[in-house]
């Protein structure tokens, strides 16, 4: 059957539509357009605050009690210079390194030379100033009361300069002494007089004069026991009341009447000056006049006594002529002279050394405790002192080092004997002979022959 013209046209259109649809299906898809997205900023994670192992402190305060007013004010000023010089050097070297360089600072207390005042100052420094440790207090009687307060509060007390043996015989847990005590010095006095007797002869009798405080009384007691035990005869014992003494006429007359070969003296500065001038006035000249440090080595005594002090001897713990024998000492003394215009002496050198001992103990304590926990830090300082063992090359004193026994006494401390020379008006070391820089002048010249 033949298709009509219209039917053929319809079939043709259908075929075209089918082909076009197939072509569209075979074409690749059009690219998809996307809007770029802004980069995502990662969320910052907060850095955790490190847990501090040691709270930061800017300073560590120590309390130092000295006689800054009253009869011993000049001695107190001398001691204070030694303390301040040590603190300055420690801080200049970086402070307390185990506390991030915290500065060592000093709060001074003035005892005025009075035991009750010294005790009150100790309490003030502990309770109000919150010091980690106390130092002081030069006079044994003041050291005794001030350290009693420290012991009751469980605060370490470092004593660089008091020499009553009784201080370390109390069985205190918190008390430490770096200098040798008077019994050790008295033993050295006996050793020295024995040396003079062996070398020159003629020394058989001994007289003692002492001021009446803790230091003077304990020194006199040790002298009496030790010289008697060594075979010397004690021909006079004279004590005077240091707080009120204005004349020693009767005391010197008693000594002169006893006619001793050796005069042993325990006096502070003003008393020492008064004694020497009274001896001159009454023409009293034993073969040996040997003092127990204290007033006789005070710069104020040396300056005021002048030539009347020539040939007197004294036990010392330090002397300027050791400069060439202890390398560290010369370096420190040069700096000290540049700053203060005077040499270190037994007082200033001992307190200078005491501050360094305190500093070493604080460095050790800082390894296990923080000053923000005052009770724990004080306890750690106490433990560090008890374990301390310092070799001689680290200190300027002529000691074998620093090491405390169970009573808190430095068992490595010792003394020397010095004599004032007319050649320059200075003390020179005369014993032990291996460290001596001058021959001993013996016997003590009469006052008329000077």
């Amino acid at each position: 059957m033949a298709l009509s013209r219209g039917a053929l046209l319809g079939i043709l259109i259908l075929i075209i539509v089918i082909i076009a649809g197939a072509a569209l299906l075979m074409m690749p898809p059009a690219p998809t357009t996307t809007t770029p997205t802004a980069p995502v900023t990662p969320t910052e994670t907060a850095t955790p605050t490190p847990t501090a192992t040691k709270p930061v402190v800017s300073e560590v305060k120590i309390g130092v009690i000295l006689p800054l007013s009253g009869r011993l004010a000049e001695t107190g000023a001398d001691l204070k210079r030694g303390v301040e010089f040590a603190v300055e050097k420690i801080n200049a070297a970086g402070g307390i390194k185990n506390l991030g360089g915290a500065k060592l600072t000093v709060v001074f207390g003035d005892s005025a030379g009075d035991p009750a005042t010294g005790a009150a100052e100790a309490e003030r420094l502990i309770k109000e100033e919150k010091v980690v440790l106390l130092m002081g207090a030069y006079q044994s009687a003041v050291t005794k009361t001030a350290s009693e307060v420290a012991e009751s509060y469980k605060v370490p007390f470092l004593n660089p300069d008091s020499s009553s043996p009784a201080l370390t015989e109390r069985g205190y847990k918190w008390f430490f002494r770096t200098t040798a005590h008077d019994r050790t010095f008295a033993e050295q006095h006996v050793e020295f007089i024995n040396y003079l007797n062996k070398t020159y002869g003629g020394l058989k009798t001994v007289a003692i004069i002492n001021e009446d405080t803790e230091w003077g009384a304990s020194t006199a007691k040790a002298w009496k026991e030790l010289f008697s035990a060594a075979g010397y005869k004690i021909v006079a014992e004279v004590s005077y009341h240091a707080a009120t003494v204005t004349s020693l006429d009767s005391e010197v007359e008693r000594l002169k009447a006893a006619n001793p070969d050796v005069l042993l003296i325990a006096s502070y500065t003003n008393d020492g000056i008064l004694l020497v001038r009274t001896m001159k006035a009454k023409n009293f000249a034993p073969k040996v006049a040997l003092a127990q440090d204290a007033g006789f080595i005070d710069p104020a005594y040396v300056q005021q006594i002048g030539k009347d002090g020539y040939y007197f001897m004294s036990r010392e713990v330090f002397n300027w002529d050791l400069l060439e024998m202890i390398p560290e000492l010369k370096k420190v003394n040069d700096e000290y002279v540049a700053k203060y215009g005077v040499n270190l002496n037994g007082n200033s050198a001992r307190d200078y050394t005491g501050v360094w001992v305190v500093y070493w103990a604080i460095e050790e304590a800082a390894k296990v405790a923080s000053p923000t926990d005052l009770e724990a830090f004080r306890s750690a300082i106490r433990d560090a002192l008890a374990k301390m063992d310092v070799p001689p090359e680290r200190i300027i004193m002529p000691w074998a080092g620093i090491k405390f026994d169970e009573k808190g006494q430095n068992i490595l401390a010792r003394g020397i004997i010095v004599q004032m020379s007319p050649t320059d008006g200075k003390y020179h070391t005369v014993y032990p002979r291996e460290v001596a820089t001058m021959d001993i002048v013996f016997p003590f010249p009469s006052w008329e022959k000077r």
Side-chain angles (χ1 to χ4, degrees):
M1 170 179 72
L3 295 176
S4 64
R5 187 177 178 179
L8 290 172
L9 182 61
I11 292 169
L12 180 61
I13 293 171
L14 178 60
I15 292 170
I16 293 171
V17 169
I18 291 172
I19 293 171
L24 287 172
L25 290 173
M26 293 176 67
M27 291 178 66
T32 302
T33 303
T34 56
T35 303
T37 306
V40 177
T41 303
T43 303
E44 292 186 3
T45 304
T47 303
T49 302
T51 302
T53 55
K54 294 175 184 172
V56 175
V57 295
S58 60
E59 66 173 2
V60 174
K61 291 197 291 187
I62 63 172
V64 179
I65 301 170
L66 297 173
L68 299 175
S69 62
R71 290 166 53 87
L72 296 180
E74 289 187 68
T75 303
D78 188 33
L79 296 159
K80 186 168 180 277
R81 282 194 293 269
V83 170
E84 291 177 330
F85 188 55
V87 170
E88 181 179 302
K89 287 182 68 67
I90 289 167
N91 288 335
I96 303 166
K97 297 174 181 60
N98 287 328
L99 290 175
K103 300 301 182 186
L104 186 66
T105 60
V106 181
V107 184
F108 285 101
D110 180 10
S111 71
D114 175 62
T117 304
E121 285 291 81
E123 184 142 5
R124 178 182 68 83
L125 293 171
I126 292 170
K127 295 178 67 175
E128 297 179 18
E129 297 291 345
K130 309 294 184 186
V131 299
V132 301
L133 171 145
L134 284 176
M135 270 184 61
Y138 182 62
Q139 295 151 286
S140 293
V142 180
T143 300
K144 181 180 180 180
T145 56
S147 59
E148 287 172 357
V149 173
E151 189 77 10
S152 68
Y153 282 99
K154 298 182 178 179
V155 174
F157 194 109
L158 193 287
N159 168 229
D161 44 33
S162 301
S163 54
S164 169
L167 292 173
T168 43
E169 293 298 320
R170 297 174 294 178
Y172 281 5
K173 178 181 178 182
W174 300 81
F175 184 80
F176 297 86
R177 172 164 52 191
T178 47
T179 188
H181 58 61
D182 291 327
R183 190 167 186 85
T184 299
F185 293 139
E187 290 169 351
Q188 289 186 309
H189 280 154
V190 173
E191 176 186 308
F192 176 58
I193 296 302
N194 285 343
Y195 168 79
L196 292 179
N197 236 349
K198 183 178 179 181
T199 306
Y200 304 102
L203 301 177
K204 299 179 180 177
T205 59
V206 172
I208 297 169
I209 182 168
N210 64 279
E211 56 93 63
D212 63 351
T213 65
E214 172 70 25
W215 167 72
S218 64
T219 294
K221 180 182 177 183
W223 275 336
K224 183 178 180 181
E225 291 176 1
L226 294 170
F227 274 92
S228 296
Y232 295 92
K233 182 179 180 181
I234 308 298
V235 294
E237 297 176 67
V238 178
S239 176
Y240 61 89
H241 189 45
T244 59
V245 65
T246 57
S247 168
L248 288 171
D249 286 352
S250 62
E251 287 83 357
V252 171
E253 287 170 0
R254 287 174 58 193
L255 294 169
K256 184 176 180 179
N259 191 30
D261 297 320
V262 178
L263 176 65
L264 301 174
I265 307 163
S267 298
Y268 286 119
T269 307
N270 293 333
D271 319 351
I273 294 171
L274 181 60
L275 175 64
V276 172
R277 290 176 175 167
T278 307
M279 288 175 66
K280 178 183 179 182
K282 295 187 176 295
N283 196 26
F284 173 45
K287 295 176 182 175
V288 176
L290 177 59
Q292 177 68 302
D293 194 83
F296 280 73
I297 57 90
D298 190 312
Y301 167 88
V302 175
Q303 183 179 26
Q304 294 180 44
I305 201 65
K307 62 182 182 180
D308 289 346
Y310 295 169
Y311 310 110
F312 277 83
M313 300 184 194
S314 178
R315 184 273 301 169
E316 250 284 28
V317 291
F318 175 91
N319 201 43
W320 64 272
D321 56 1
L322 298 174
L323 290 174
E324 301 300 329
M325 307 180 72
I326 304 176
E328 179 64 17
L329 172 57
K330 177 170 174 47
K331 177 183 173 186
V332 174
N333 190 68
D334 287 347
E335 295 174 7
Y336 191 81
V337 171
K339 185 174 182 63
Y340 298 109
V342 296
N343 284 311
L344 284 159
N345 57 43
N347 289 333
S348 52
R350 281 189 299 185
D351 276 37
Y352 173 86
T353 302
V355 173
W356 277 98
V357 170
V358 166
Y359 162 69
W360 291 326
I362 289 174
E363 286 282 22
E364 288 300 309
K367 295 177 181 177
V368 298
S370 167
T372 57
D373 184 345
L374 200 52
E375 183 177 347
F377 199 66
R378 287 168 172 167
S379 181
I381 293 174
R382 186 266 162 206
D383 291 345
L385 288 169
K387 297 175 183 175
M388 185 166 288
D389 189 355
V390 180
E393 58 268 20
R394 291 189 68 190
I395 58 178
I396 64 171
M397 300 300 296
W399 301 339
I402 298 172
K403 187 174 185 177
F404 299 105
D405 64 13
E406 70 281 359
K407 297 178 180 178
Q409 174 62 44
N410 177 18
I411 57 175
L412 302 178
R414 58 191 180 189
I416 58 175
I417 304 295
V418 297
Q419 184 175 35
M420 189 179 286
S421 170
T423 59
D424 55 11
K426 294 180 179 179
Y427 279 116
H428 293 252
T429 302
V430 295
Y431 190 86
R433 293 303 294 165
E434 60 267 26
V435 294
T437 60
M438 186 183 88
D439 291 334
I440 300 170
V441 178
F442 177 90
F444 187 86
S446 66
W447 292 99
E448 297 89 344
K449 295 181 178 178
R450 295 183 171 209

